[in-house]
Amino acid sequence: MSATPPLLGERLSKVFQAPAVPLTVFSGVDIEVRRGERVALTGESGAGKTTLLYLLGLLDRPTAGRIFVDGADVSGLGEAELAAIRNRTIGFVWQRNTLLAEFTAVENVMMPLLIRGEPRAAAREASAALLEEVGLAARAQHLAGELSGGEQQRVALARALAGSPSILLADEPTGNLDERTAALVIELIERVHERRGLATLYVTHNPNFARRAHRVLRLEGGRLLPG
Ligand SMILES: Nc1ncnc2c1ncn2[C@@H]1O[C@H](COP(=O)(O)OP(=O)(O)OP(=O)(O)O)[C@@H](O)[C@H]1O
Ligand SMILES: [Mg+2]
């Protein structure tokens, strides 16, 4: 018998109610990300990659279908319960820098821990260790807004890991970086993924980065297809 996958989407559909006609982004999408698995999600602009990540990250609800996180069906849960699951189980890295520019790197990483009610000193200590894990210990006290793009993505990755998630979702985490810096960020994601045994799903337009995943999925014409 196989273990319960950390992330499972079943027959997922998303329809946006546009002014003229409803827009069906995708329908009947089945997706599974197993523990220890790194899956790349590709597809043309507008194919629905971010939309799918929002559903799987419990930031938006599917029009139809069900999502299971660590084996539990989350479909019937309210906003507060979904937020709690997100905080404990799912780490996000986005393409655009989502750090708070006026706060230091370590303060940014601390945020999810403070939100879940951890004492400040413990949160600070854990966050310093996370910055060390992404190779940024020396930048802990720098303002996030003053860091380079690559450094900011590393802080964002440290923040995503702060809640000790089992699932890592990344939406074009290297989209704004030059090729060399992008490769460093991808390698870092691979390292933390391995070390922590995560279930990782990342969107990328870069075929080289997609090839490095264990599995590649492609959204096309409202369907999810193998690589
Ligand atoms: N909140 C919304 N309301 C209406 N339509 C939306 C909404 N969000 C996304 N869409 C539409 O859904 C489709 C899929 O968008 P999505 O952002 O998921 O694409 P994507 O694959 O991530 O594209 P990109 O590679 O450019 O980031 C697009 O046609 C978009 O206009
Ligand atoms: Mg997108």
Side-chain angles (χ1 to χ4, degrees), residues 16-18 23 25 43-52 95 171-172 203 205 219:
F16 287 114
Q17 293 305 327
L23 170 70
V25 183
E44 288 183 358
S45 183
K49 305 178 298 295
T50 296
T51 302
L52 182 57
Q95 172 177 0
D171 195 355
E172 300 188 55
V203 173
H205 284 287
L219 262 177

Side-chain angles (χ1 to χ4, degrees), residues 48-113:
K49 305 178 298 295
T50 296
T51 302
L52 182 57
L53 239 60
Y54 265 65
L55 301 186
L56 296 172
L58 315 183
L59 292 162
D60 192 11
R61 293 176 190 270
T63 309
R66 296 195 299 174
I67 292 167
F68 298 82
V69 174
D70 288 332
D73 187 351
V74 302
S75 314
L77 301 182
E79 291 305 322
E81 291 166 302
L82 292 177
I85 293 175
R86 273 199 305 275
N87 183 266
R88 275 186 275 111
T89 318
I90 307 174
F92 298 93
V93 181
W94 305 108
Q95 172 177 0
R96 278 191 318 271
N97 168 34
T98 52
L99 301 176
L100 301 167
E102 300 305 316
F103 287 79
T104 64
V106 74
E107 285 167 345
N108 269 278
V109 179
M110 286 167 67
M111 288 304 168
L113 297 173

